[in-house]
């Protein structure tokens, strides 16, 4: 049996404290978040776009609400875009290693020779060779991030809407090329490399509208945020656009962390994290009693049910090690006040539960409960009683299932003493029970018996058969205890016994 958890005058909350040492560290300072948001739509020399500026404003608002220090550039020229990217890099370098950098761009962008270029609103191009002179290479953003050596960087490009330079030779590739980013970077494209994204018809692109909604969901890692965006955009565009991303992140990132737990909730969760690994019912029962209003109660009861099931199935349950006591427990469990227990009563309580655990008898556990219905071991005693009761019920069910049973046999046809038999009589079919009394056996009734002692002799000579004695014999075949007798061969054939039985069941008419 399991080791007894000694009460020693402790309350339930103090017993819970002995299950787990609560170690709460000081909360780390939140990392600095810096974002540069760019939206270019009012182009001078190429087709304009309706949604990049509203998209940039939507993302700026959404990210500011998540703790980002946001710089927004709309309809930026080449000089303004370069200056903004350079300042973004300086801000990241000043923020330190734990900072998170995020660059978002909505507008025209093209690829050339495997490199991606962001188009400022003043870009004018007549020859592909001049692209790097009038546009801004997207790798410039990655270089700034790399120089900062910060932990987490995010690049989001909603910039594959169409190619404004399709008429220019050597510059007619659709979409953007896949970029190689330094370690610790998450790259997201509004559509797959080489594909074209939709600008949107309701003020925002499908991609940015979905992203702005998903970053608000607490407790979702960035990978799942963009997976949810991908699913939503595919649905919105009827499969015409599939967002794509790649990651070299080395840690978890959440736009919004899960709801912050109070110090008490942290203590409760850490205690449950320890208890849920147990195969002993004692710590689980104590947790249920100490935290009756916990959000983990359904899981605790499910775990207790599994432990009971394992015990009933005969699984070996190792006793949980006795944890080291903690100096104090952070949360005082929500339980009704208990009267102080005198020392002699404590000794008696431990004595009674010790006797019950040693004997394993239901009577001893019940004796403890009768004496201490609200005792420290009341849940344990109740648990053991449930186990013993279920074991007894299962044993009774198994005994009933193992008991021999006699299927109900009903005669297939009316059988009387004088009517011809029709079932299972082989060569004797067509004769009545009355006629069979005067016939000779078909084979020796006893193995090795000389022929002169049975052949041509009437069965009635040995058995004293009459209608009354045969009726008695048929009735014995109808009882459960004589089920095996029906399977033994009879000198008139096995069917003869079956017919006698059926005849007896009809009242030996």
């Amino acid at each position: 049996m399991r080791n007894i958890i000694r009460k020693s005058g402790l309350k339930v909350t103090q017993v819970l404290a002995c299950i787990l040492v609560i170690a709460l560290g000081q909360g780390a300072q939140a990392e600095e978040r810096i974002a540069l948001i760019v939206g270019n739509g009012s182009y001078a020399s190429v087709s304009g776009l309706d949604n990049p500026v509203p998209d940039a404003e939507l993302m700026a608002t959404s990210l500011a609400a998540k703790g980002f220090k946001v710089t927004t550039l709309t309809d930026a020229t080449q000089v303004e875009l370069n200056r903004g990217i350079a300042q973004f890099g300086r801000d990241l370098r000043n923020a330190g290693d734990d900072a998170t950098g995020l660059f978002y761009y909505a507008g025209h962008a093209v690829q050339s020779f495997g490199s991606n270029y962001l188009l400022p609103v003043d870009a004018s191009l007549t020859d592909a060779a001049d692209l790097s002179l009038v546009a801004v290479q997207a790798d410039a953003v990655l270089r700034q991030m790399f120089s900062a050596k910060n932990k987490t960087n995010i690049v989001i490009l909603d910039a594959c809407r169409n190619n404004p330079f399709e008429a220019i030779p050597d510059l007619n590739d659709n979409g953007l090329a896949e970029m190689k980013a330094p370690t610790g970077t998450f790259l997201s494209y509004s559509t797959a490399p080489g594909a074209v994204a939709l600008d949107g018809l309701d003020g925002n692109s499908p991609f940015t509208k979905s992203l702005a909604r998903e970053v608000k969901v607490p407790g979702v890692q960035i990978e799942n945020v963009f997976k949810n965006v991908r699913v939503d955009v595919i649905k919105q565009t009827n499969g015409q656009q599939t967002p794509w991303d790649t990651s070299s992140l080395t840690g978890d990132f959440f736009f919004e962390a899960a709801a912050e737990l109070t110090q008490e909730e942290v203590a409760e969760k850490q205690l449950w994290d320890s208890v849920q690994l147990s195969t002993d019912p004692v710590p689980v029962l104590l947790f249920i009693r100490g935290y009756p209003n916990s959000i983990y109660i359904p899981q605790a009861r499910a775990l207790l049910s599994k432990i009971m099931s394992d015990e009933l199935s005969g699984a070996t349950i190792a006793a949980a090690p006795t944890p080291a006591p903690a100096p104090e427990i952070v949360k005082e469990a929500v339980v009704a006040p208990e009267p102080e227990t005198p020392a002699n009563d404590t000794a008696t309580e431990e004595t009674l539960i010790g006797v019950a655990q040693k004997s394993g008898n239901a009577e001893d556990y019940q004796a403890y409960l009768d004496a201490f219905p609200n005792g420290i071991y009341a849940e344990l005693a109740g648990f053991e009683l449930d186990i013993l009761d279920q074991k007894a019920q299962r044993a009774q069910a198994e005994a009933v299932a193992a008991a021999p049973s006699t299927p109900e046999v009903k005669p297939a046809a009316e059988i009387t003493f004088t009517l011809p038999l029709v079932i299972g009589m082989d060569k004797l079919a067509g004769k009545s029970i009355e006629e069979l009394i005067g016939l000779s056996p078909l084979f020796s009734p006893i193995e090795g018996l000389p022929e002169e002692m049975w052949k041509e002799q009437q069965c009635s000579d040995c058995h004293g058969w009459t209608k009354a004695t045969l009726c008695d014999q048929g009735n014995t075949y109808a009882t459960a205890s004589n089920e095996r007798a029906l399977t033994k061969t009879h000198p008139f054939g096995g069917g003869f016994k079956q017919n006698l039985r059926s005849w007896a069941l009809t009242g030996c008419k």
Side-chain angles (χ1 to χ4, degrees), residues 2 5 74 88 90 92 211 228-230 238 251 256 280 303 376 385 417 435 452 468 471 477 481 496 499:
R2 306 171 186 83
I5 297 179
T74 57
F88 176 57
R90 286 191 289 271
L92 275 181
L211 178 58
N228 295 338
V229 169
R230 180 161 49 249
N238 294 319
E256 181 170 333
D280 191 312
L303 176 59
I376 189 65
L385 281 173
F417 189 66
E435 292 178 286
E452 61 270 18
C471 183
Y477 294 149
S481 60
F496 180 67
N499 278 285

Side-chain angles (χ1 to χ4, degrees), residues 282-294:
V282 175
V284 184
L285 287 163
L286 290 175
F287 180 87
I288 292 173
R289 184 177 183 185
Y291 294 88
N293 299 318
S294 171

Side-chain angles (χ1 to χ4, degrees), residues 36 71 73 78-89 91:
L36 174 59
T71 299
L73 298 177
Q78 184 184 33
V79 172
E80 291 170 340
L81 186 53
N82 278 322
R83 286 177 178 172
I85 292 173
Q87 184 61 50
F88 176 57
D91 292 341

Side-chain angles (χ1 to χ4, degrees), residues 24-63:
L24 297 175
Q26 294 294 323
Q29 292 292 324
E31 80 282 359
E32 189 169 355
R33 295 179 165 193
I34 300 171
L36 174 59
I37 309 298
V38 180
N40 284 347
S42 299
Y43 288 91
S45 301
V46 298
S47 59
L49 296 170
D50 294 332
N51 292 333
V53 172
D55 285 340
E57 293 170 346
L58 175 60
M59 284 306 304
T61 302
S62 300
L63 293 175

